[in-house]
């Protein structure tokens, strides 16, 4: 595993910044949809929409390409909740051998593995499960397009 740095950002509470929400409108990826019935509603607070547990949630900026097949790319921002327990369907921020890793945690035949979302990276066998720390579960992926 190569050494990677991640940037961790706390989530500001009561920042007073809101985003306009267009209610009644669905954005179709196929044919255009009529907009007559769509109307603008009150602004929404993205903290309230994205953060279920403010005291245990933080943002992480992704470095590297180990999760590209999971739809997570370098530069993406992740909303990570430390209060959630990871399952095999979860993507977790972990610390293993003193380094951060963004992986799936999988148990097979009594062994614990960290799995990447990129075939170029082999599974990592965790020799001693007490050496693995889970820093939270990814609940949102925020992308810049």
């Amino acid at each position: 595993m190569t050494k990677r740095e991640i940037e961790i950002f706390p989530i500001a509470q009561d920042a007073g910044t809101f985003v306009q929400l267009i209610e009644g409108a669905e954005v179709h990826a196929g044919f255009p949809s009529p907009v007559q019935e769509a109307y603008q509603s009150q602004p929404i607070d993205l903290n309230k929409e994205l953060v279920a547990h403010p005291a245990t949630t933080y943002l992480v900026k992704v470095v590297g390409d180990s999760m590209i097949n999971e739809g997570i790319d370098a530069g993406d921002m992740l909303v990570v909740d430390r209060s959630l327990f990871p399952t095999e369907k979860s993507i977790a921020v972990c610390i293993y051998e003193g380094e951060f890793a963004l992986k799936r945690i999988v148990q097979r035949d009594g062994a614990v593995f960290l799995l990447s979302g990129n075939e170029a990276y082999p599974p990592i066998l965790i020799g001693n499960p007490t050496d693995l720390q889970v820093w939270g579960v990814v609940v949102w992926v925020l992308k810049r397009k």
Side-chain angles (χ1 to χ4, degrees), residues 96-118:
Y96 181 63
E97 294 183 346
E99 296 182 9
F100 282 103
L102 181 65
K103 307 288 182 203
R104 285 192 191 278
I105 303 169
V106 176
Q107 295 183 31
R108 295 283 184 266
D109 300 323
V112 177
F113 295 90
L114 297 180
L115 301 182
S116 297
N118 181 339

Side-chain angles (χ1 to χ4, degrees), residues 123-142:
I124 300 167
L125 173 63
I126 305 300
N128 182 355
T130 60
D131 293 338
L132 177 66
Q133 295 177 17
V134 178
W135 268 45
V137 172
V138 175
V139 293
W140 289 91
V141 178
L142 308 175

